[in-house]
Amino acid sequence: MAGDSQSTEPEDAELVARAQGGGAAGRRAFGELVRRHLAWLVRLIAYFIGSQAEAEEVAQEVLLRAHAALADFRGDASFRGWLRIIATRLSYNHTRSNTARRRRELDIGPMLAEPAPGPDLATRQALLLVLGRLPYPYREILLLRHVEEMSILEIAQTLDIGESAAKMRLSRARAAFAECHEEVTR
């Protein structure tokens, strides 16, 4: 496509190939991949685990693991998709490893810093509060479907479950969300 050749920024696949080559060029390429993907990665993890500060730590771990496993990345999926799978698994492990964190409600302060006060802010606060009260597997699948806009097949692959199990979990998560949302907004 003619429009694609006008872009001077290399695609993720090209940067991954350079990074896999190692050396100074490889480090620069991986640094560029980090620059491109860090913000959304931290945001996604913050929704999963409920804390901006902890999300930043987990994101660093995701990037360290991705760098260590870069030689194994075959490019069957996008680099972003690969990071999302690593982030989902590490977020789950992080949440599971500390029951106190699981019971704590979302630290919504940092996630609410951008919007101006008003009805949208109240709605967002209610949504984050509800998400924070849901069990991790429900929060995870709702975020993958409605924030990351993944298909059921992509969710099943990311979570390493069958499509029917993904559909069932999503259905249960939506029901739990609706019930909790009604309690919070009464």
Side-chain angles (χ1 to χ4, degrees):
M1 293 183 200
D4 291 341
S5 63
Q6 293 176 355
S7 175
T8 57
E9 282 196 27
E11 295 291 322
D12 281 356
E14 184 181 332
L15 289 170
V16 167
R18 286 185 202 165
Q20 287 172 326
R27 286 189 299 277
R28 283 191 303 275
F30 193 76
E32 176 61 20
L33 288 166
V34 168
R35 185 193 65 74
R36 287 182 183 184
H37 296 285
L38 184 60
W40 73 262
L41 184 62
V42 170
R43 208 169 32 253
L44 177 67
I45 294 168
Y47 280 117
F48 282 152
I49 64 176
S51 167
Q52 184 74 23
E54 291 176 24
E56 291 170 4
E57 291 177 25
V58 173
Q60 291 300 319
E61 181 65 25
V62 168
L63 293 168
L64 286 172
R65 291 201 185 185
H67 188 265
L70 200 56
D72 298 329
F73 180 70
R74 296 182 312 273
D76 297 340
S78 69
F79 184 72
R80 180 181 176 123
W82 188 56
L83 284 179
R84 184 185 300 123
I85 290 170
I86 297 169
T88 300
R89 290 182 180 152
L90 286 179
S91 296
Y92 176 74
N93 291 341
H94 178 83
T95 302
R96 189 182 68 193
S97 71
N98 190 334
T99 26
R101 276 190 203 117
R102 249 191 315 182
R103 290 184 186 149
R104 188 182 69 233
E105 293 193 11
L106 280 171
D107 170 16
I108 62 174
M111 290 184 255
L112 297 171
E114 300 139 22
D120 290 341
L121 180 60
T123 300
R124 186 168 182 194
Q125 286 175 322
L127 291 175
L128 291 172
L129 183 62
V130 171
L131 280 174
R133 291 183 177 181
L134 293 177
Y136 180 85
Y138 288 174
R139 185 181 334 151
E140 174 184 50
I141 200 161
L142 287 170
L143 291 169
L144 291 175
R145 181 71 178 122
H146 298 289
V147 174
E148 287 294 307
E149 299 178 343
M150 294 173 69
S151 69
I152 294 295
L153 177 61
E154 291 171 318
I155 291 170
Q157 291 170 341
T158 298
L159 300 178
D160 199 23
I161 59 176
E163 281 185 73
S164 60
K167 288 177 187 176
M168 180 65 74
R169 187 179 299 175
L170 182 59
S171 175
R172 289 179 180 160
R174 285 175 172 160
F177 182 91
E179 182 180 318
C180 189
H181 187 267
E182 188 172 316
E183 290 173 14
V184 166
T185 57
R186 278 186 207 165

